[in-house]
Amino acid sequence: MRHSLFVTTASLALLLGGCSTMSKDAPQSVAAAPAEPAPLADLVRKVDIPYEIFTLPNGLTTIVHTDRKAPIVGVSVWYRVGSKHEPKGKTGFAHLFEHLMFGGSENVPNFDKPLEAAGSTPTNGSTWLDRTNYVETVPTGAVDLALFMESDRMGHLLGAVTQEKLDQQRGVVQNEKRQGDNQPYGIVEYEIQETLYPQGHPYHHSTIGSMDDLTNASLEDVKTWFRDNYGPNNVVLVLAGDIDAATARPKVEKWFGDIPRGPAVKPVEAPVTTLPARVDKTITDQVATTRLYRSWVVPGLNHPDAAALYMGMSVLGGLSSSRLDNALVRDEQLAVSVTAGFLPFEHSSWVQSYIDVKPGVDRAVAEKRYEELLADYIANGPTEDELRRAATSYVSSQIGQLEEVGGFGGKGSTLAEGQLYSGDPEKYKKDLEAIASLTPVMVRDAMQRWLTRPVFALAVEPGERKEGGENRGGYRAAYSKGQVDGPRIGYRTGVDGESGAGSTTIAEAAKPTRTFPDVAPVGDLEFPKIERATLSNGMKVSFARRTTVPKVRVSVSFDAGFAADSVDARGTQSFMMELLSEGTTSRSSIAIAEESERLGANIGTGASLDESSVSMSALSANLAPSLALMADIVRNPAFADGEEERVRAQQLAQIGQEMNSPVALGYRAMAPILYGKDHPYGGSLTGTGEAAIVSKLTAADLRQAHQTWLRPDAAQITIVGDTSMAQVLPLLEKSFGDWKAPATPRPVKAVNSAVPAPNPRIVVIDRPNSPQSVILAGKVLSLSGRDPAERLETVNEIMGAGFLSRINSNLRETKGWSYGVRSSLFSSQGRRAQIVMAPVQADRTADSIRELLTDMKALPATRPVTDEEFNRVIDGNIRGLPNRFESSGDVLSAVQTIDRLDRPDDYYVKLPTLYRTMDKAQLDAEAARHL
């Protein structure tokens, strides 16, 4: 994948929760409103993606879904080929080829430039075990452009593939591998796949592959892979958004109809394997906490037990109130975090759980209790209430996904996955119906069928990593005791390393030159009207109506954040905000978690540099009780002793993890260097603080921080979704209107304090045995967050914020020394900072620093903004505006930005006019002044 390797609709989520003791002298309480959630069957019926489907004579299957909410179309192209199809000696090849597909075709020298100029967001691709996909979401007027480009690389690629392109993308992929391996627990994936699946099984090796196989990939391998796998008959094309089938069909026929059918991708044999006996293994890694994994192979996503296993693992460790959370994290406090989940694949899936042992707790004690809980749950299954909460939470999340037409998780991908893996675009409906009809007995029986088989028990303990990832990800002997190498399973090649025997090839004769289609202009942006109100206590409310899905997003934000922490109390805001949802004066932490799950609400608390906030995504039908729950969390935290110690342990464990993460280490060091340790921005940019300080914070400290900074006269309520101001205002008044501000004046953060004079230097932090170096470069700018900065942000896109930016194009696309380089402008109340981050292969560290400095000094001194850069970025920003507000979350963020930076309500509507007034000289001047 170009930006991240693995994407799937279902993912393992790490959800932390807590249990509390009631405080007798806590602040005034909001009465707990009885939760009356909407029936699950009603929620399931709301999930619907109407579609039409047709197939061209060459076998290309096209699905069209019409959604007129915005003038955009999500284009998704799914190829029926993934890493499971790689023969021995070719691991990592499907993913390497995905990268090559962005390198240009016979009529398209560069895939990113035309799409970026047309306003496409995102333009990306990904590879996993069963498939490869390519996605872009474009303005309606650019659909022909997207189809032309996708068809050109499907039918007109080989003439443009060169050894130079292969070598360059090989370097990028190898750095992607190094970047993943360089993380704490970065080699666990190799351990699990290589152990669960025997040598020769298509799922035995990681999609990223081994360094040796990547190095040995030849140009002829590339061409053979294309001929064998990339025919239109192996493809599902989905167009979702502002288009209908009558419009789509002639376009698809025009651009794809003349591409000849290729050989069918032959099915592989990938059986559901069973370990001959339990496998226990301990490895060491540069980690802060011991992590204990339990993994099993289970059936594929089309098996009747898939839904039961998915929900069963959610109850075990996916819910905030999961079995493992309640016992190991809240009650007995043997772990600082737990998780469990179901990873679905076509032929066989796997279920996995892990716990992070609390530092100071004996591993044997935690492991024994972990095993007892697993055994009990497998034997007895979930309760009816647990299962309903898990199902409601899942259905609510699926409803939320209906807002997006494209990308990796939107409606287009949902239809494509169903067609590709199950031959049914409506597979999602059958899954939801199956989940809604589950009983505890059905879940228990499925867990007993599959999780009573031998388990792979892996432990990762702090220490020196004994083996890197260079030679992991390829074919190797499995770790299972007594298991021996057997014949390769399921590959369509009879000899290692050979391509498919007797396969037909896509014609490579000279083809007529194809020309780029015109891109129609975009219309004026339709941004939702912002309504404003004030509660009786003075709290400000901003509201925008979006009725695309029956959900509502709410944010209550406060002028606080990490910058509110005093120098001797850094980490307080993060600690305090995490405790808000861990018990109130009327609800325990378990009660909070269970109530939110019954309601299908997702409530999060946290802090950023300048804000502390509580956010919620709720079903419209359950908005009233969800708001009551949210208000109780905001206003009445208990800060109970038991919860305080538990969350303290979690934050200390997080600090320990940051000290072992190369990126986090850099961010922890950067802010004090840039701003000075006494400046409000001079603490760690992660906000977790220092271990010595967090260890000493008391409940009184946290309660004082809450009373000082989380007060109604420092709050802003923002709401976007399927309701109205008339409906929501009385609910807000009931929940927040009687909340009185303290008599003390509002605190003020000294964010405009002086910063140290610039002192250019290189700071080196040693992290032994790292296959990559992480370069962070930064400077403090003269602008504050409230200052207009559209020109600066535009020139920063050219410098380093976009995929086609100068520094990314140089270190990634030209040199192949990095998987990705980025320049960011921090949004802050006080003076902003520019941060450049460049993970690079270790032996190119000095060369990369030299290249970065050269590129940054050159703009504008020796390389001013070019016509191509200017037109691409300006046109792309104008055309891409509708894409930026596809979801209610996007709109909520935009409304918050308008309020926080004192922008006019029509700021985004008028933004195209502002872009059109820019010129290259202005951008050069901004670069000279600030960058």
Side-chain angles (χ1 to χ4, degrees), residues 714-776:
Q716 170 68 49
I717 302 176
T718 310
I719 303 179
V720 175
D722 183 27
T723 183
S724 67
M725 181 68 94
Q727 291 173 315
V728 78
L729 203 57
L731 301 178
L732 293 173
E733 188 66 44
K734 181 179 180 181
S735 297
F736 291 100
D738 64 344
W739 188 18
K740 305 301 181 184
T744 55
R746 275 185 59 181
V748 177
K749 298 175 294 187
V751 296
N752 294 317
S753 301
V755 300
N759 177 23
R761 60 201 185 278
I762 293 176
V763 177
V764 178
I765 301 174
D766 183 27
R767 182 179 181 272
N769 303 316
S770 297
Q772 273 192 332
S773 299
V774 175
I775 301 169
L776 286 173

Side-chain angles (χ1 to χ4, degrees), residues 18 22 321 586-596 598 629:
M22 301 301 179
S321 65
S586 60
R587 293 172 169 93
S588 70
S589 64
I590 293 178
I592 290 171
E594 291 182 349
E595 187 172 346
S596 64
R598 290 189 193 100
L629 174 60

Side-chain angles (χ1 to χ4, degrees), residues 31 141 153 181 203 211 230 269 277 288 342 345 381 405 464 505 536 561 565 593 614 621 659 733 741 866 881 914 920:
R153 60 181 168 188
D181 294 349
Y203 290 172
M211 284 293 189
Y230 271 69
E269 181 186 348
F342 172 83
F345 298 104
V405 295
E464 180 181 353
T505 62
S536 58
D565 289 340
V614 179
M659 300 303 292
E733 188 66 44
T866 67
L881 270 175
L914 180 57
K920 292 187 298 179

Side-chain angles (χ1 to χ4, degrees), residues 29-84:
S29 171
V30 175
E36 298 179 358
L40 184 59
D42 290 350
L43 298 179
V44 169
R45 282 192 289 270
K46 293 181 184 295
V47 184
D48 186 39
I49 313 173
Y51 70 94
E52 294 183 61
I53 187 169
F54 58 87
T55 302
L56 300 188
N58 62 8
L60 176 69
T61 298
T62 302
I63 302 172
V64 182
H65 163 68
T66 303
D67 180 344
R68 304 289 189 186
K69 73 172 181 293
I72 58 176
V73 177
V75 180
S76 303
V77 186
W78 289 59
Y79 288 83
R80 197 182 305 276
V81 60
S83 58
K84 71 183 180 186

Side-chain angles (χ1 to χ4, degrees), residues 70-408:
I72 58 176
V73 177
V75 180
S76 303
V77 186
W78 289 59
Y79 288 83
R80 197 182 305 276
V81 60
S83 58
K84 71 183 180 186
H85 297 95
E86 296 165 345
K88 187 174 182 179
K90 299 288 187 290
T91 63
F93 203 79
H95 176 237
L96 173 61
F97 189 82
E98 173 225 313
H99 277 249
L100 280 165
M101 284 283 277
F102 287 92
S105 59
E106 293 162 3
N107 301 288
V108 183
N110 183 290
F111 279 99
D112 291 284
K113 289 181 179 180
L115 285 171
E116 183 175 307
S120 173
T121 55
T123 303
N124 214 329
S126 74
T127 308
W128 212 354
L129 304 182
D130 297 315
R131 54 88 183 132
T132 305
N133 59 11
Y134 303 89
V135 300
E136 55 264 347
T137 299
V138 298
T140 306
V143 170
D144 275 298
L145 174 68
L147 295 179
F148 160 70
M149 296 177 71
E150 289 290 355
S151 66
D152 208 69
R153 60 181 168 188
M154 182 188 293
H156 304 261
L157 182 78
L158 292 185
V161 175
T162 65
Q163 185 67 47
E164 181 183 8
K165 290 180 180 179
L166 172 60
D167 292 341
Q168 185 273 324
Q169 288 301 328
R170 189 199 330 266
V172 172
V173 171
Q174 289 178 327
N175 274 296
E176 180 178 359
K177 177 178 171 67
R178 293 185 185 104
Q179 186 167 314
D181 294 349
N182 203 27
Q183 306 308 310
Y185 309 103
I187 60 174
V188 165
E189 178 188 313
Y190 304 134
E191 297 283 352
I192 290 173
Q193 281 188 250
E194 291 167 0
T195 303
L196 289 181
Y197 295 106
Q199 174 79 7
H201 193 286
Y203 290 172
H204 172 74
H205 66 280
S206 168
T207 298
I208 196 68
S210 74
M211 284 293 189
D212 285 345
D213 286 356
L214 290 169
T215 298
N216 292 331
S218 70
L219 192 60
E220 185 55 37
D221 290 334
V222 169
K223 294 183 177 183
T224 299
W225 186 264
F226 176 74
R227 297 185 191 109
D228 286 353
N229 299 300
Y230 271 69
N233 46 305
N234 297 322
V235 174
V236 175
L237 167 66
V238 182
L239 303 176
D242 185 26
I243 194 169
D244 52 51
T247 303
R249 182 157 194 154
K251 294 180 183 293
V252 174
E253 290 173 340
K254 174 182 178 180
W255 297 115
F256 292 88
D258 64 347
I259 302 174
R261 178 185 293 265
V265 174
K266 296 182 180 179
V268 300
E269 181 186 348
V272 179
T273 57
T274 300
L275 294 173
R278 175 184 171 119
V279 178
D280 287 273
K281 185 173 184 180
T282 297
I283 62 174
T284 55
D285 198 359
Q286 293 177 209
V287 298
T289 58
T290 296
R291 180 171 290 180
L292 306 177
Y293 291 85
R294 297 295 183 268
S295 304
W296 295 263
V297 173
V298 297
L301 54 85
N302 289 308
H303 192 277
D305 282 342
L309 290 168
Y310 193 110
M311 289 298 100
M313 296 305 287
S314 179
V315 171
L316 175 64
L319 296 175
S320 295
S321 65
S322 73
R323 288 285 184 92
L324 295 179
D325 266 298
N326 289 347
L328 295 179
V329 179
R330 292 188 175 95
D331 185 16
E332 300 166 41
Q333 298 192 22
L334 299 176
V336 291
S337 64
V338 302
T339 192
F342 172 83
L343 275 75
F345 298 104
E346 184 174 7
H347 305 284
S348 73
S349 308
W350 68 81
V351 294
Q352 180 176 291
S353 171
Y354 69 74
I355 69 170
D356 285 343
V357 179
K358 182 179 179 180
V361 170
D362 184 80
R363 169 187 161 180
V365 173
E367 193 157 25
K368 180 176 183 294
R369 185 65 178 126
Y370 183 26
E371 296 274 8
E372 291 172 351
L373 291 166
L374 287 171
D376 177 75
Y377 181 64
I378 293 168
N380 298 301
T383 66
E384 178 67 29
D385 183 57
E386 286 175 322
L387 184 55
R388 289 306 94 189
R389 288 188 279 112
T392 301
S393 297
Y394 176 76
V395 174
S396 178
S397 70
Q398 294 302 295
I399 291 174
Q401 287 189 358
L402 295 182
E403 282 197 287
E404 296 186 10
V405 295
F408 292 124

